[in-house]
Amino acid sequence: RPIEAIYRFSRYADDVADEGDALAAPRLAELKRLDTALTQMERGDAVPADLAPIFTPLAVAVAEFHLPIQPFRDLLSAFAQDVVTPRYADYAALLDYCRRSADPVGRLILHLFGRTEPEHLAQSDAICTALQLTNFWQDVGIDWQKNRYDETSGRVYLPQEDMARFGVSETDLANGVAHERF
């Protein structure tokens, strides 16, 4: 039940950022509305009725398992970044994104099981970041097509400095070229 509540929140917020044809402004507005609803939930105030199916079970899970709210805010921050950031200059920037897009989920799961020792949190962060990077790199072609920022390209989760260093161009990505340099 609590995993389902966490997933429902995360999936909805991620879909707001990634799915459909909405422009950036309405996507960002909906993510802000989710952030406001988190604050309302945290205070014990009512959330908008249309968000109750997400926030009612989430509030129960947060209360029952003493879940921190910051990981949910971190997810919203990463999803908002997805809306406006199609490229990552370097690996450090990509890791910062992972810290907010993947690591919070692992940390919330550890809270459910009462295993929040620093060693466990660090191990979870490493696993979640590795899984996020694996997902990015297996979906290079899909992300290229998603949320097109201009007429030629979508998101690229390959660090730009690494693409330059290895001689991989966006034209290669657009054409689905997966040569040895890639």
Side-chain angles (χ1 to χ4, degrees), residues 87-107:
R87 305 285 184 280
Y88 290 84
D90 54 35
Y91 192 63
L94 193 58
L95 289 179
D96 177 64
Y97 173 81
C98 292
R99 180 189 60 75
R100 291 174 290 115
S101 69
D103 298 359
V105 176
R107 286 173 170 253

Side-chain angles (χ1 to χ4, degrees), residues 18-75:
D18 286 346
E19 302 302 324
D21 296 327
L23 297 175
R27 290 175 190 274
L28 293 171
E30 182 65 3
L31 291 169
K32 177 65 177 154
R33 193 168 81 101
L34 291 173
D35 186 62
T36 299
L38 269 177
T39 300
Q40 292 166 324
M41 179 193 76
E42 192 175 21
R43 287 187 203 147
D45 297 341
V47 300
D50 65 314
L51 294 178
I54 295 169
F55 282 91
T56 300
L58 187 62
V60 170
V62 166
E64 183 177 345
F65 293 94
H66 308 286
L67 299 177
I69 298 300
Q70 189 59 47
F72 296 103
R73 292 194 193 291
D74 289 343
L75 288 169

Side-chain angles (χ1 to χ4, degrees), residues 72-84:
F72 296 103
R73 292 194 193 291
D74 289 343
L75 288 169
L76 292 176
S77 167
F79 299 151
Q81 185 171 322
D82 268 339
V83 175
V84 297

Side-chain angles (χ1 to χ4, degrees), residues 19 42 70-71 86 89 92-93 96 102-103 106 108 120 122 133-134 137 141-142 149-150 152 158 177:
E19 302 302 324
E42 192 175 21
Q70 189 59 47
D96 177 64
D103 298 359
L108 288 166
H120 292 132
L133 293 172
T134 300
W137 298 336
I142 293 168
Y149 289 89
D150 59 39
T152 60
L158 301 171
V177 175

